[in-house]
Amino acid sequence: MSEVVRIAIYGSENGKINWPNRCPHCGTTGDLINVNGRVVRESVGNLAILVGVLTFRRETTNIGFLVCRKHASQCELANRLLERSSIFGLVRVAIYLGLAFCLMLLSSLLTHTTTLASVIERGGFGPILFSGFGVLGIFVLWWARSNASVRLLSIDSGTDVVSIRFHDKKYARDFKRANVKATHRYLTEAPSFWMRPGFWKLVLVILVFAIVFKMSNQP
């Protein structure tokens, strides 16, 4: 079973995250190299309601971690494929839709409500390729989740707390011991919704629209 650890990246000693001196994938202590991972925080930026301007903000935080040379490339690639960003999120949505389409197509073929020839006649090879994309994509995602022994999940909005998933619970415990202060709950607890900047932005938007609506309805 995996374990998720939250760490305040600027609450650690000297602003540095300490990692156990072994590979999180295989446990070897030799030939360790630094793998570059990253977490992406995407949010709506400044709201200029009166002129109808909406800005989009993207912040990337790079975090390096130790992995043996044998497993470094696959761990780095797995993290990139599972990255929680809008681009990779859309790719994963397309994979799930492709898989769902493939299952519906197989169901139709097995129940003889359609034939492969008629599918190709109506849509060419597009439906077949989309189904194949979904099936292949699911295997790729399964491979990525299996090989992301250290997976950088996300960084909280409004704070600098990063959530990291570890496949090995013992490695996760050693990681917390190496970063006792930065993983303490007082630094890593998620703030209440009313303490988040996004909540007050939403309140401001509602107030402005309420005022505009009220003024527009005055005789």
Side-chain angles (χ1 to χ4, degrees), residues 1 11 31 40-41 53 66 78 97 103 105 144 151 161 165 181 190 192 196 208 215:
M1 293 292 291
D31 202 19
V40 178
R41 177 164 53 194
V53 175
L66 293 175
L97 290 175
L103 294 175
L105 181 60
R151 181 183 170 189
V161 176
R165 183 184 299 278
K181 180 182 177 182
S192 303
R196 294 178 178 270
V208 170
M215 293 177 63

Side-chain angles (χ1 to χ4, degrees), residues 14-15 17 19 59 82 100 108 139 143 145 149 177 187 202 210:
N14 301 320
I17 296 178
W19 298 89
E59 301 172 69
L82 299 173
S108 298
F139 280 104
W143 174 88
R145 290 191 173 94
S149 48
R177 291 193 192 100
L187 286 178
L202 178 61

Side-chain angles (χ1 to χ4, degrees), residues 4 10 12-13 16 46 48 77 91 93 107 114 133 136 142 145 153 161 165 168-169 186 189 202 207 209-210:
V4 175
Y10 296 116
S12 54
E13 296 181 6
K16 180 183 177 182
N46 299 322
L77 177 59
V91 171
V93 168
S107 176
T114 189
F133 172 76
L136 179 61
W142 172 81
R145 290 191 173 94
L153 294 176
V161 176
R165 183 184 299 278
D168 185 357
K169 281 196 169 187
Y186 290 116
E189 277 186 342
L202 178 61
L207 286 175
F209 274 107

Side-chain angles (χ1 to χ4, degrees), residues 13-71:
E13 296 181 6
N14 301 320
K16 180 183 177 182
I17 296 178
N18 300 311
W19 298 89
N21 192 35
R22 68 177 186 276
C23 176
H25 196 91
C26 63
T28 184
T29 57
D31 202 19
L32 300 177
I33 62 174
N34 191 66
V35 167
N36 184 47
R38 69 180 190 178
V39 284
V40 178
R41 177 164 53 194
E42 297 175 334
S43 60
V44 174
N46 299 322
L47 295 172
I49 307 265
L50 298 179
V51 295
V53 175
L54 185 66
T55 60
F56 185 76
R57 183 171 59 195
R58 176 187 173 95
E59 301 172 69
T60 301
T61 300
N62 294 307
I63 298 176
F65 53 93
L66 293 175
V67 183
C68 73
R69 193 176 300 275
K70 179 180 178 181
H71 297 111

